[in-house]
Amino acid sequence: MNQIILKNGFFGGLIVSAVMCFVTYSMKSNPNVEPNMFIGFGSMILAFSFVIFGILQQRKASQDVISFGNAFKTGILIAFITSTIYVLVWLVIYYNFFPDFIERYSEIVLKTTPTEEIATKQEELKWMKKVYSSPLGIIGMTYVEIFPLGIAFSLISAFFLKKK
């Protein structure tokens, strides 16, 4: 696999995983404070900026020429590596340090949910707990949390950075 893809995917994964570790630690040590979703998604956007860097580096390595297809392929592979690192780090955190995540998360969500929406939110949380009962469910949910943003970044970046 291309060094550019591996390097940028690794750095993106490192950034998003470091922030996830910090947020998880904060959530575990301050159970009454709701985690800030802007921090999580901001770290994903920062991590996926490596998609842009990777496409630009690939373009430079190809004598300043890159098609949409090659740019998208570079971007999606970087996004996949970044997302996979994120998923693997979450699995380590969940199984070794935070096995009661769903219970804690449910408590926080229900505290901040308006009274008229409690029943709906409880159903969602019940479904999430069921999904989290299997490793494949956790892996799938975690990929769904991050990878669609990586796909969007790859498509947009490939469109704007292609050069003939």
Side-chain angles (χ1 to χ4, degrees):
M1 198 178 291
N2 192 321
Q3 284 280 28
I4 293 169
I5 292 169
L6 287 173
K7 178 181 69 171
N8 285 290
F10 174 76
F11 286 135
L14 190 67
I15 287 172
V16 76
S17 296
V19 173
M20 177 178 49
C21 289
F22 170 75
V23 169
T24 304
Y25 174 77
S26 296
M27 187 177 168
K28 193 164 170 86
S29 59
N30 302 312
N32 296 325
V33 178
E34 184 176 1
N36 189 325
M37 296 299 179
F38 291 112
I39 293 172
F41 283 109
S43 72
M44 289 178 192
I45 290 169
L46 182 62
F48 288 132
S49 67
F50 283 94
V51 166
I52 297 167
F53 300 145
I55 292 171
L56 288 171
Q57 291 167 8
Q58 195 73 28
R59 186 171 86 178
K60 185 178 178 187
S62 303
Q63 289 79 39
D64 210 30
V65 174
I66 193 165
S67 67
F68 174 81
N70 284 336
F72 179 69
K73 183 175 89 172
T74 299
I76 200 76
L77 289 172
I78 292 168
F80 181 72
I81 292 169
T82 298
S83 300
T84 300
I85 292 169
Y86 179 81
V87 169
L88 293 174
V89 169
W90 175 243
L91 288 171
V92 169
I93 290 170
Y94 179 74
Y95 282 113
N96 295 299
F97 304 105
F98 207 0
D100 62 339
F101 166 76
I102 290 295
E103 289 78 19
R104 294 261 190 104
Y105 178 74
S106 296
E107 289 172 15
I108 291 170
V109 168
L110 291 174
K111 278 184 202 174
T112 60
T113 301
T115 313
E116 62 275 1
E117 297 175 18
I118 293 260
T120 306
K121 195 55 81 171
Q122 284 175 325
E123 286 300 313
E124 288 175 21
L125 292 168
K126 191 171 152 184
W127 175 83
M128 191 173 171
K129 188 172 187 173
K130 183 180 176 187
V131 170
Y132 258 69
S133 66
S134 105
L136 287 177
I138 296 169
I139 291 168
M141 284 282 289
T142 311
Y143 267 116
V144 165
E145 184 179 315
I146 188 170
F147 195 53
L149 185 60
I151 294 169
F153 250 81
S154 299
L155 281 168
I156 294 167
S157 299
F159 179 77
F160 285 109
L161 298 175
K162 69 183 187 285
K163 190 170 182 187
K164 295 198 180 215

